[in-house]
Amino acid sequence: MDNLFSAIPSSLPDELFQDILNTDAVRVERIVSRGHVTPEGDWYDQDESEWVMVMKGRATLMFEEGRREVYMEAGDHLNIPAHQRHRVSWTDPDQDTIWLAVFYSGN
Amino acid sequence: MDNLFSAIPSSLPDELFQDILNTDAVRVERIVSRGHVTPEGDWYDQDESEWVMVMKGRATLMFEEGRREVYMEAGDHLNIPAHQRHRVSWTDPDQDTIWLAVFYSGN
């Protein structure tokens, strides 16, 4: 058994992406951000849909359509259909933000 | 956007099972326990595999094989392959235990 809040490197020059579960049907990923954001002008445009929750910390997602921003704290979750372009526009620089993401095919 | 820790009924005569996401590929479920356990002698024997994490609270899972017990707290997660018989043998009666479960086909 593992713990989602454990084994976080003290140094985190880049965002940390780690598969927790990887099967034909679904992929569960832990992401750790420490002030990291998606590079300006870049958008995630994913073939898979993603259900994502903030487990700890604070972050803002931006969606390309309407440049809509969504502020997220622990427990907040939303579903991002495949090819809905989005970016991480802010994460708290003063603490770790831990995300749980579930990637799957279809919408 | 919803929050996994919100909208928990004050009265909880039975465990609460709620779909958060339900697609052909995956089902994400929130479960809230308040001292509830699987009835003595009953086992979950599921056609789908289940990745499960305790989000809040404390619980013990028991697996039929070897009667192995696993104590879980916030952030602890494990994967239960399809048809691995198991039951919830204890949840903290003094607080809510909130689970996140991801059900998927295959192992």
Side-chain angles (χ1 to χ4, degrees):
Chain A
M1 186 172 65
D2 289 315
N3 188 286
L4 202 83
F5 302 110
S6 299
I8 293 174
S10 56
S11 172
L12 209 64
D14 297 310
E15 265 184 321
L16 183 68
F17 298 88
Q18 295 172 304
D19 277 2
I20 293 177
L21 180 75
N22 194 338
T23 81
D24 290 344
V26 65
R27 188 165 62 84
V28 178
E29 187 177 75
R30 177 175 83 163
I31 304 161
V32 184
S33 316
R34 198 176 287 164
H36 302 94
V37 299
T38 311
E40 192 69 39
D42 283 7
W43 299 95
Y44 288 106
D45 186 345
Q46 300 166 158
D47 291 336
E48 294 182 302
S49 296
E50 175 184 359
W51 178 83
V52 67
M53 175 163 56
V54 168
M55 296 289 298
K56 173 186 177 298
R58 306 186 301 154
T60 303
L61 282 185
M62 179 188 278
F63 294 90
E64 187 182 39
E65 189 174 1
R67 292 292 193 279
R68 179 170 62 95
E69 283 202 300
V70 179
Y71 171 75
M72 300 178 76
E73 293 184 330
D76 287 336
H77 58 85
L78 49 78
N79 191 50
I80 305 173
H83 297 296
Q84 184 174 62
R85 287 160 62 95
H86 63 284
R87 56 188 299 272
V88 178
S89 53
W90 180 80
T91 61
D92 191 338
D94 297 325
Q95 62 174 316
D96 290 341
T97 295
I98 302 180
W99 311 77
L100 182 77
V102 176
F103 295 93
Y104 60 97
S105 294
N107 280 311
Chain B
M1 186 172 64
D2 288 316
N3 187 285
L4 202 83
F5 302 110
S6 298
I8 293 174
S10 56
S11 172
L12 208 66
D14 298 310
E15 265 185 320
L16 184 66
F17 298 88
Q18 294 172 304
D19 278 2
I20 293 176
L21 181 75
N22 194 337
T23 80
D24 290 343
V26 65
R27 187 166 62 86
V28 178
E29 187 177 76
R30 178 175 84 163
I31 304 161
V32 183
S33 316
R34 197 176 288 164
H36 302 93
V37 299
T38 311
E40 194 68 39
D42 282 8
W43 299 94
Y44 288 107
D45 186 345
Q46 301 166 157
D47 292 335
E48 294 182 303
S49 296
E50 175 184 359
W51 178 83
V52 66
M53 177 163 56
V54 168
M55 296 290 298
K56 173 186 178 296
R58 306 186 301 155
T60 302
L61 281 185
M62 179 187 279
F63 295 90
E64 187 182 39
E65 190 174 0
R67 293 291 192 279
R68 180 170 62 96
E69 284 201 302
V70 179
Y71 171 75
M72 302 178 73
E73 292 184 331
D76 288 335
H77 57 84
L78 50 77
N79 191 51
I80 305 173
H83 297 297
Q84 184 174 59
R85 287 159 63 96
H86 63 283
R87 57 188 299 272
V88 178
S89 52
W90 180 78
T91 61
D92 191 338
D94 296 325
Q95 61 175 316
D96 289 342
T97 295
I98 302 180
W99 312 76
L100 181 78
V102 176
F103 295 92
Y104 60 96
S105 294
N107 281 312

